[in-house]
Every structure is written in structure tokens, then in C-alpha cells.
Amino acid sequence: MQHKHPADDSSLTDPALAGLRSQLATQENVLCTLVVDLDSQLRFAQGLLALTDRRLLARNPGGPGTEWAAWPTVDAAGKGLTGLSLRHFDHAGVGTLELHQGGVRLAGWRFTLGANVQALRLVRLFAQQQAQAHGQALPPEETALCPECDLPLPPDSEECPACARELHTPPSTWVLLRLWRFAHPYRHQLLAGFLLTLASTAATLVPPYLTIPLMDDILIPFQNGQQIAPGKVGMLLGGLLAAAVLGWALNWARTYLLALVSERIGADLRTATFDHLLELSLDYFGGKRTGDLMSRIGSETDRICVFLSLHALDFATDVLMIVMTAVILFSINPWLAVVTLLPLPFIGWMIHVVRDKLRTGFEKIDRVWSDVTNVLADTIPGIRVVKAFAQEKREAQRFREVNQHNLAVNDKLNKTWSLFTPTVSLLTEVGLLVVWAFGIWLVSKQQITVGVLTAFIAYIGRFYGRLDSMSRIVSVTQKAAAGAKRIFDILDHVSNVPETANPVKIGQLEGRIDMKNLGFRYGNRSVIRGLDLQIRPGEMIGLVGHSGSGKSTLVNLICRFYDVSDGSISVDGTDIRRFGVADYRRNIGLVLQEPFLFFGTIAENIAYGKPGATRAEIVAAARAAHAHEFILRLPQGYDSLVGERGQGLSGGERQRISIARALLIDPRILILDEATSSVDTETEKEIQRALDNLVQGRTTIAIAHRLSTLRKADRLVVMDRGQVVEVGPHDELMARQGAYWRLYEAQARQVDSEEGGEEDQERRIALATSQIAHAAEHVDNA
């Protein structure tokens, strides 16, 4: 076992080290240390745990540095102590270590989950020490799993290679080949485009070839005093004109056809990405920024579309032009052709060197640009809060900083790119100079004619021009590769709420819900564990408990926004994971604390869950939700436009539209998540009357901050730390004077104090008013 000196722990301060050293005996070695940062009241305070080869040392958080406690872990002979164990568990962001012996709790410590990895290491080393002291086999080390993909994590690492691949794997140009999946439906059009490209390239290579007889048979003989043959001249000039017109027509047809195809490929790519995004579970969106996802689906697909419609076409034309030109050059004069190709190795080497820098650089630019859009996506929807707190300058500075970072990243890449392009141009100019020199020497030796040299120069102009064009396409190709990688990062992500291969068809649900040994973890946080609960059809259940007790998580699991980590949830005796996800959710109505309304009309928002609903059904749902009256007072009634996120409507009005939306789909299971917590008393009464209509005949699970609103519930379920601690009607739970009674009494005292405070304030205002009136009267009399 490896001994560790306490100074090796970077989280320890010098006073902590000094205090720990003062407690160590001679030749006592520290195996592991843990900084605990919460006291018994869950207040932030620093303490220290240290496991040595003899005992467990502890300085309680918040206590004096000299107050240390110690528990032997082995006896004087080095043997383990019977029944000694160190237990670890966590809940809602708080980790706990408890030292037990023989079923008796000796001590306990709490910490935030930032120290959880070190705490697990301490527990593991403690278990290994006890196993060795008792002469037992060492317990196998538990392999940590990634909370995102459930794959084993590497030793001594908190990062999953699979999940980290999106951030750390540079994009490869080969990722563009994966676009064939979207190009395959248009393969016939692409083949036609390739043939048109081939034909148009061949047409553009005809004019330089015609310059050979034009120079050798027409111009040079005429310069030497010979007569011109008008018919031959007309034929050659007509050939040049015909080649130009034919090349124009073929280029137009090719460009138009491939532009249509690339637009359709881009549209299919956007649609497929958005469709897949909608199928992903909520935990994926929890780790992503809205601006980043919008940038991927919008900007990246546009970039790929431009690449396919313009630059991929140019690249194919360039390759064909280079190959066909090289064949013609070798057919005219092999030695001159070899001299023409001299710059190619240097240009190829430069492209290889620059390509990697461009690829990683463009991916970094994409990520930085996502930061810019993220600031916009945060600020514009929250502009009301920004203005309310007068934070316009702060947000402007935040945007200025990310925009400046974007500028710096682009400038760094442009340094490489600005050097590359002129260098390629220089090499091609040098190559042209070498060809001129070698060609003049061949003409002087009468090995080639002036016409051949002229044709060669014309072909070389096209050859080197295409080389320069290809070098420029390297930049665009790497941009497209970076964009394609970010798109396929979405398409390759597998939902944590998978669709079953053979879903069970849902008939008419009764609404019976059974939860057995339910467990769920958010990453490395245990939120629900060992929960058992049965809900009868048509029963109304009220979920109560402190914040963080797991109420909202439980309803998220029932809605199957997440899948359980342990146990099962069954509806009418069938595990909900066997149902089709969309088919199951159509039977659930959800009313949230903060209702979300889409931009559109009132009628469209009410009919969101049932787009084919008639106006009569929409009005009936609105009447039942007590929303009909205020809707009629709007300028256009049910056709009045609702602003983004329900702008223009009060909180109570948005909530009643949300209730009407749930009523319209006639769900068998109804979830009310703090549906009346953010409105005033009068509005709450209106919403409560609407909810009374909504819950009739449905299995209802309601979460409410005000416990008085749950008196109509058939049963109340009290949760604490992810477990059910009490179940029963209101009167029965009050009679027990348990957890629910304490919650109710605490809330009643808070209400009384608030009302008392309001009464005191009213008395003070009345007194001040009477004093002012008395003073005014005194002034008048004077």
C-alpha cells in the first residue's frame, strides 16, 4: 500500500498541515486526507479527515485547530477492530461519511460533492486497510461509471473518453464523407452533375489546343510573308467560339443542378438534426447552451450547404482540370510537362502542414462563435431582468469580451492562412518562370515550335490556376469539416431515454401507478433511493417536502423525462419503459409552475397538444379552465397573438391557458408542479377552480408550496432526502405529529408572522397619517 505524506494534498493549507503533523505519532504514515467543508448544520466551515496506518484522525469543521479526535483502526498488534466500517452516501449535493462499529454510529462528517472523489478514495483505502488487518482478500475496487453514458471511467480520472471526445477530438476531413448518407437520395442528380463537370472541363481545354495550329500554321507563316487561308482561320476561330459557348452552357447546367441538390442536402441535414435533437432526453439539454445548439443547426448546416454547392463543385472541377491538363501536357512534350509539375511536391507539403492547423483552428472558431450566440440567447429573452437591474453596461461588456475573444481567435488563424495563400501563388509564379526558361531553350534547339510553347503556357496558366484554387479550398474544406463534426456530435448522441424496439400499445389507461424500489441519480448525486409508492386510479396525491427532497425529480421520472437508475415505474401493471415514449406521454397532462407559451394565437397555444382540435373543443377547454372570459376581452379573442414566452399576459392568465391546454388532451394522468405558487391570492382562487375541473376522474399528482392547497388530496406523500417518510390524509398526518405536522406548523407560523408584520405596518401607517393630519390641522389653525 502506498503511503502518502499529507503535504502532497494540494487542498490542505499550511495551518492544516501543521495541525495534522502535530497529531502524528512517530513513524505514523498518512494514507489519505479529506477536507470536509460543511458542519453539522450544513454551514460552510473547513475541517479535516486523515486516515493513517493506525487510526482515523478528524478535526471537526468550524472547531478550533487544536481540537482533534481520533479513532483507532487497528489494535496494538496491527489487527483490525471488529465491526469497524466507514460508510459513504450522498443526497441532493451533500455527501456524508459515517464511522460505525458494531451497529453504533461513532462519528459523521458532511461535505459538498466537489470532494466526493477524494471521499470515495478514503473509503476505499479504509476498506482495504481493514481487509488486510483481518487477513482477508482485498475488496475489488469499484469501477466508477460515467454519469452520462454509463461507460467505465479510466483509473484516477473523472473524465469519460467517450463524452470528452466532442471537445477534444480534432475534426477530420473524412467526416465529410459521412454526408453521403444525406446525398444518397440524390445520387442520380449528382452523377449527372459529375458528367456535366467532366464535359465542361473538357470544353475549356479545347481553346489552348487550337492555339497550336493558330500560331504555327497561321500567324508565324503570315509573319514570314506567306498568305493566310481564310477558311482555316474561320474554322479555328469558330472552334474557339463553339468551345466557349459549349463550356458556358455546360457550366450553367452543372452549377444550377448541383446548387439545387446541395440546398436539399442542407435542408435534409437540418431537419434530421432537429428531429434527432427533439428525441434526446432532458439531461442532454441540461449540459448544452441554447445559442450553441442554434448555431449548430443554423450556421453549421449553412456552411456545409455552401461547401457542397460551390466549393465541392470547384474542387471536383480543379481535380479534373489538373488531371486532364497533365495528360495533354505529357502528350505534347513529356520533358516540358515534368518541369511544369516541379512545384507540386512543395505545394502538397504546404497543404498537409497547414490543413491540420486550419482544421483545429476552425473548430475553435466555431466554439467561440457559439459563446457569442450564447450571450445573445441569454440576454435577449432576459432583457426585462437586465433592464430591471440596470445591467445594460454589464451585458454589453460581456458581449464585448466574447466578441473580442472571437476576434483574437480569428486573427490567430488568419496569420497562418494569409501566409499560406501568397506562398502558393509565389510557387506557381516560379514554376511558370521555369517553364518559360526551359521552353525558350527547347525552341532555340528547335525541339518544339512557338505554337507548342504558347499552348503550353496557356495550359500551365489553367494548371497553376487550379492549383491555387485548390489551395484556397483547403480553408473552406476545413470549415465544413469542423461544422460537420459539430452536427454529427448531435446525430451520434444516443438518448438516455431510449425507444423500445417492440413497444406495448396503450389502450384506455386506468391510471394506476406503481413505483417499486425506485432509485435515481443526477450524475454522481443520489436524488431518490429505495422509494416505494402505489397510486390508485383516479386518486389525487399531494407531494410535499423540503426543497431538494426529490418531488420534482419524481414527477420527471413518472413523465419519463429521465429513466430510473434502479427499480421500476409501472402504469396499469406495465413498466413505462415498455411503452412508446410519445404514445405514453400523450396520456399525461402537465401544468408547470412557470407555464411556457409559444409565439402564436391563444387558440394555437391551447390546441398545442391536439393540433386538430375544433374551435368548439378549444372554447370548451378554455371555459373549464376559467380562461374564456379574459380571452374574449382581448382585441382578437382566441385569435389574439401571444408574444414570445407569453409576453402580454399576466402570470395567472398564462397559467389558465396552460390548464386549458392540459384539459384539451383529456389525460388520464395529471401532473401539477407548483401550479399556483407564483400568483396572488385572488388569481390562485381562479386557478384552483380551474384545477378542480381538471382533476376530476384523473390520477393526479400535485406538488404545492402552500400545503393548504392540498387539503383536497386523497393522500399526502411526504418526501425527505429522496425517500417517502409519511403517507396519509391531511387529518391523519396532523394527528401523528410527524414530518408533515412539522412542515405544516412551520408554514403556519410563517404565515402568522407575515400577517402580524402586515398588521404592524398598517398600524404604523395609520399612526403616521393621523400625525400628519394633526400637524396640518395645527398649521391651519395657526
Side-chain angles (χ1 to χ4, degrees):
M1 183 179 297
Q2 183 181 2
H3 291 177
K4 178 187 176 186
H5 193 275
D8 294 337
D9 193 340
S10 60
S11 63
L12 297 181
T13 60
D14 290 338
L17 287 173
L20 178 56
R21 288 195 187 99
S22 67
Q23 299 298 313
L24 297 178
T26 305
Q27 295 184 342
E28 184 176 10
N29 294 310
V30 177
L31 306 179
C32 185
T33 57
L34 170 67
V35 175
V36 291
D37 52 4
L38 296 174
D39 63 14
S40 58
Q41 302 300 317
L42 296 182
R43 293 186 295 249
F44 284 105
Q46 192 175 73
L48 182 64
L49 278 179
L51 176 66
T52 75
D53 53 0
R54 305 179 189 180
R55 52 188 175 155
L56 183 66
L57 293 165
R59 182 173 65 81
N60 288 329
T66 56
E67 289 188 4
W68 287 81
W71 296 267
T73 55
V74 294
D75 58 21
K79 299 296 184 182
L81 301 179
T82 305
L84 192 65
S85 64
L86 187 63
R87 302 177 186 177
H88 168 275
F89 56 90
D90 62 81
H91 175 75
V94 176
T96 303
L97 284 179
E98 291 184 350
L99 184 66
H100 289 257
Q101 185 173 23
V104 178
R105 180 180 180 274
L106 302 180
W109 304 270
R110 290 181 173 180
F111 51 88
T112 57
L113 289 186
N116 201 45
V117 173
Q118 187 70 1
L120 291 172
R121 184 171 183 270
L122 178 69
V123 172
R124 185 175 70 247
L125 291 175
F126 184 92
Q128 291 176 352
Q129 183 192 57
Q130 292 300 302
Q132 284 185 333
H134 286 94
Q136 301 170 351
L138 292 178
E141 293 191 6
E142 294 185 4
T143 302
L145 300 179
C146 172
E148 295 291 333
C149 61
D150 290 334
L151 293 176
L153 294 176
D156 300 323
S157 175
E158 299 179 61
E159 185 174 72
C160 174
C163 297
R165 191 184 313 147
E166 178 175 339
L167 291 178
H168 301 301
T169 303
S172 170
T173 310
W174 297 107
V175 73
L176 293 172
L177 296 178
R178 297 185 62 185
L179 294 173
W180 176 249
R181 159 186 164 188
F182 299 95
H184 185 262
Y186 309 101
R187 57 191 180 279
H188 299 301
Q189 293 93 323
L190 290 172
L191 177 60
F194 175 75
L195 295 176
L196 286 171
T197 301
L198 189 65
S200 64
T201 303
T204 57
L205 291 175
V206 171
Y209 200 83
L210 294 180
T211 59
I212 298 177
L214 196 61
M215 291 291 295
D216 292 340
D217 299 341
I218 304 296
L219 294 179
I220 293 178
F222 176 75
Q223 191 177 21
N224 293 331
Q226 298 183 13
Q227 293 294 322
I228 295 177
K232 192 171 184 180
V233 172
M235 183 180 65
L236 291 174
L237 294 179
L240 291 173
L241 177 63
V245 173
L246 180 62
W248 170 84
L250 292 172
N251 269 319
W252 172 82
R254 174 202 65 172
T255 304
Y256 180 71
L257 176 63
L258 293 181
L260 292 178
V261 172
S262 65
E263 288 292 343
R264 280 151 181 78
I265 292 174
D268 292 347
L269 182 61
R270 279 190 294 270
T271 301
T273 306
F274 186 67
D275 288 346
H276 185 75
L277 198 64
L278 292 178
E279 294 174 359
L280 296 177
S281 57
L282 287 183
D283 61 344
Y284 177 82
F285 296 93
K288 301 295 179 184
R289 299 288 297 273
T290 302
D292 177 58
L293 295 176
M294 291 173 62
S295 174
R296 295 190 191 203
I297 296 178
S299 303
E300 306 300 352
T301 53
D302 282 344
R303 181 180 294 173
I304 292 170
C305 184
V306 170
F307 169 76
L308 293 175
S309 62
L310 298 177
H311 304 291
L313 181 63
D314 291 341
F315 181 78
T317 304
D318 292 342
V319 171
L320 285 174
M321 179 69 78
I322 288 173
V323 172
M324 296 170 72
T325 303
V327 171
I328 293 173
L329 291 176
F330 274 97
S331 67
I332 295 175
N333 190 293
W335 287 110
L336 200 55
V338 170
V339 173
T340 302
L341 299 179
L342 282 179
L344 271 183
F346 300 100
I347 294 175
W349 174 78
M350 284 190 62
I351 290 175
H352 174 72
V353 171
V354 171
R355 183 184 60 187
D356 293 335
K357 293 183 179 180
L358 292 177
R359 187 168 58 225
T360 54
F362 283 126
E363 190 196 17
K364 188 173 182 180
I365 287 175
D366 289 341
R367 292 201 301 270
V368 173
W369 180 249
S370 294
D371 293 338
V372 176
T373 56
N374 284 335
V375 174
L376 295 175
D378 287 344
T379 306
I380 294 175
I383 191 65
R384 195 171 184 177
V385 177
V386 173
K387 290 184 175 297
F389 287 89
Q391 293 299 308
E392 292 91 344
K393 291 185 178 179
R394 175 187 173 189
E395 293 300 333
Q397 179 62 27
R398 191 158 71 104
F399 183 82
R400 193 176 293 110
E401 287 174 357
V402 296
N403 198 32
Q404 194 65 32
H405 186 206
N406 175 60
L407 184 64
V409 172
N410 277 277
D411 286 346
K412 183 178 180 181
L413 188 66
N414 287 333
K415 289 180 182 177
T416 302
W417 180 240
S418 60
L419 178 64
F420 172 70
T421 304
T423 304
V424 172
S425 298
L426 176 63
L427 288 174
T428 57
E429 292 296 332
V430 171
L432 184 61
L433 180 63
V434 171
V435 171
W436 268 111
F438 189 64
I440 291 172
W441 182 79
L442 290 178
V443 170
S444 67
K445 298 295 183 181
Q446 297 185 351
Q447 295 185 17
I448 62 172
T449 64
V450 174
V452 171
L453 179 59
T454 304
F456 241 88
I457 297 300
Y459 279 120
I460 289 170
R462 284 169 166 75
F463 185 84
Y464 284 155
R466 294 301 178 175
L467 279 180
D468 186 59
S469 175
M470 284 184 67
S471 68
R472 296 176 189 275
I473 288 175
V474 171
S475 166
V476 181
T477 303
Q478 300 315 312
K479 286 183 180 180
K485 176 187 176 295
R486 285 163 55 79
I487 289 292
F488 282 108
D489 284 338
I490 296 177
L491 293 174
D492 293 341
H493 194 91
V494 180
S495 174
N496 289 342
V497 181
E499 190 75 62
T500 183
N502 299 302
V504 175
K505 291 185 178 180
I506 300 178
Q508 182 66 31
L509 287 180
E510 295 180 6
R512 185 178 74 255
I513 304 175
D514 297 306
M515 288 165 263
K516 298 178 181 177
N517 195 29
L518 203 64
F520 180 73
R521 299 179 68 88
Y522 276 124
N524 60 358
R525 290 195 300 121
S526 176
V527 182
I528 292 179
R529 56 183 185 275
L531 187 147
D532 292 288
L533 181 64
Q534 289 77 42
I535 303 175
R536 296 183 293 272
E539 185 180 22
M540 181 177 180
I541 292 293
L543 285 180
V544 299
H546 293 291
S547 297
S549 58
K551 305 184 298 296
S552 294
T553 300
L554 182 60
V555 298
N556 283 338
L557 293 174
I558 294 173
C559 294
R560 212 189 166 199
F561 294 146
Y562 304 93
D563 269 346
V564 299
S565 305
D566 302 297
S568 65
I569 300 176
S570 299
V571 173
D572 292 352
T574 303
D575 193 316
I576 62 174
R577 287 171 291 191
R578 297 183 59 197
F579 294 132
V581 176
D583 198 19
Y584 169 67
R585 288 178 185 159
R586 289 191 189 99
N587 291 274
I588 297 178
L590 186 62
V591 180
L592 299 172
Q593 177 181 359
E594 297 180 2
F596 188 96
L597 300 184
F598 296 92
F599 184 87
T601 66
I602 296 285
E604 289 169 346
N605 273 281
I606 294 176
Y608 184 76
K610 188 180 179 181
T614 64
R615 181 55 63 95
E617 291 175 322
I618 294 172
V619 172
R623 285 183 183 276
H626 291 262
H628 181 67
E629 289 76 13
F630 85 79
I631 292 175
L632 292 182
R633 289 196 297 269
L634 297 174
Q636 305 297 326
Y638 283 86
D639 295 320
S640 298
L641 280 176
V642 177
E644 189 175 3
R645 290 185 170 94
Q647 293 292 326
L649 298 177
S650 68
E653 289 169 344
R654 290 198 298 268
Q655 192 63 281
R656 279 176 277 175
I657 291 176
S658 175
I659 294 171
R661 182 167 59 191
L663 272 167
L664 187 61
I665 65 173
D666 191 23
R668 295 306 307 157
I669 299 173
L670 181 64
I671 307 292
L672 306 176
D673 191 353
E674 301 276 11
T676 62
S677 66
S678 57
V679 295
D680 59 79
T681 305
E682 286 299 319
T683 306
E684 180 183 359
K685 291 178 181 177
E686 283 289 326
I687 295 175
Q688 198 60 52
R689 284 195 289 269
L691 291 176
D692 291 342
N693 294 332
L694 182 59
V695 301
Q696 290 178 5
R698 295 180 174 88
T699 302
T700 304
I701 302 171
I703 301 174
H705 176 67
R706 298 176 184 140
L707 300 182
S708 57
T709 62
L710 296 176
R711 285 190 174 184
K712 294 182 180 180
D714 299 306
R715 286 187 299 160
L716 298 172
V717 176
V718 186
M719 296 187 65
D720 184 38
R721 296 190 178 188
Q723 295 179 312
V724 173
V725 294
E726 280 186 336
V727 180
H730 169 78
D731 294 337
E732 179 183 321
L733 295 181
M734 290 296 291
R736 292 183 193 173
Q737 294 193 354
Y740 178 76
W741 177 83
R742 290 191 293 272
L743 283 171
Y744 195 89
E745 288 297 310
Q747 194 170 106
R749 285 194 298 271
Q750 180 182 359
V751 171
D752 290 341
S753 64
E754 289 175 356
E755 291 177 351
E758 291 175 359
E759 291 174 0
D760 290 342
Q761 187 176 6
E762 289 175 359
R763 284 196 295 270
R764 287 194 298 269
I765 292 173
L767 179 61
T769 304
S770 64
Q771 290 173 344
I772 293 171
H774 179 71
E777 183 180 357
H778 179 72
V779 171
D780 291 339
N781 292 334

